[in-house]
């Protein structure tokens, strides 16, 4: 009997396994709208990440990523915040694991408000105040801080992938930050 070294990342699927899973079942994600708040808790800025998509277009997105097998939602949210915003972002993690919204992404454009041509995904959506310095990592080119009004604009919504402009507006409405 061969002794095998344990997989250091047992929650990850190989690219082939992930592709196959995406064809057969919804995948769970967490998403976070990073915000800056003032001393009385009013939203002063909303963070969006810029990146180049597979077609080479510059698009905006928010913090997002899969929840791994055996990982808590809180741990997944913390991991993706650090991955996307850097280790010095100092996010204020939500006290409750209850999201402000659940977004369902479909691979077909007419399947719903949110789309993802790779898969059917269900995303738990959070608003997370960030107090430190953000240095985007991974595939993000930069983090742009926008006023709540600018973040909720149609112009920004058009630059967001998969309908996430609606998600930002929903987050701001949830916080009472839309005027």
């Amino acid at each position: 009997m061969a002794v095998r070294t344990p997989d250091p990342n047992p929650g990850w699927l190989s690219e082939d396994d992930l592709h196959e899973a995406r064809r057969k079942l919804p995948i769970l994600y967490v998403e976070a709208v990073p915000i800056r708040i003032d001393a009385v808790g009013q939203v002063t800025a909303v963070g969006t990440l810029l990146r180049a998509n597979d077609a080479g277009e510059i698009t905006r997105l928010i913090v997002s990523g899969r929840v791994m097998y055996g990982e808590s939602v809180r741990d997944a949210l913390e991991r993706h915040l650090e991955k996307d915003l850097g280790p010095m972002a100092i996010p204020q993690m939500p006290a409750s694991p209850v999201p402000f919204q659940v977004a369902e992404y479909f691979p077909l454009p007419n399947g719903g408000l949110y789309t993802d041509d790779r898969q059917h995904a269900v995303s738990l959506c959070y608003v997370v105040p960030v107090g430190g310095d953000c240095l985007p990592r991974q595939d993000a080119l930069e983090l742009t801080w926008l006023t709540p009004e600018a973040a909720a604009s149609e112009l920004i919504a058009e630059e967001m992938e998969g309908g996430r402009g609606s998600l930002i507006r929903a987050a701001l409405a949830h916080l009472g930050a839309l005027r």
Side-chain angles (χ1 to χ4, degrees), residues 37-62:
I37 56 175
D38 64 17
V40 294
Q42 298 296 311
V43 178
T44 60
V46 177
T48 64
L49 295 159
L50 290 177
R51 77 170 177 115
N53 65 15
D54 293 337
E57 304 162 329
I58 301 297
T59 61
R60 291 184 188 273
L61 65 154
I62 56 175

Side-chain angles (χ1 to χ4, degrees), residues 43-113:
V43 178
T44 60
V46 177
T48 64
L49 295 159
L50 290 177
R51 77 170 177 115
N53 65 15
D54 293 337
E57 304 162 329
I58 301 297
T59 61
R60 291 184 188 273
L61 65 154
I62 56 175
V63 173
S64 179
R66 291 190 313 266
V67 177
M68 295 189 308
Y69 179 80
E71 182 179 42
S72 73
V73 168
R74 180 179 298 284
D75 287 347
L77 186 58
E78 186 174 21
R79 178 171 55 83
H80 289 293
L81 284 161
E82 181 174 332
K83 174 184 68 87
D84 288 349
L85 302 180
M88 301 305 292
I90 310 174
Q92 184 179 339
M93 296 298 288
S96 169
V98 177
F100 81 87
Q101 181 172 321
V102 175
E104 193 168 17
Y105 292 85
F106 290 96
L108 306 172
N110 295 330
L113 181 60

Side-chain angles (χ1 to χ4, degrees), residues 31-34 45-54 56-64 84-85 105 114-116 118 136 139-169:
E31 291 187 289
V33 177
V46 177
T48 64
L49 295 159
L50 290 177
R51 77 170 177 115
N53 65 15
D54 293 337
E57 304 162 329
I58 301 297
T59 61
R60 291 184 188 273
L61 65 154
I62 56 175
V63 173
S64 179
D84 288 349
L85 302 180
Y105 292 85
Y114 305 109
T115 61
D116 184 334
R118 302 168 303 162
D139 61 349
L141 302 171
E142 73 177 39
L143 176 70
T144 304
W145 290 103
L146 305 166
T147 65
E149 296 78 18
S153 73
E154 194 58 40
L155 177 65
I156 296 301
E158 290 173 8
E159 295 176 358
M160 304 285 298
E161 288 186 340
R164 286 181 178 87
S166 295
L167 190 62
I168 286 180
R169 285 193 293 272

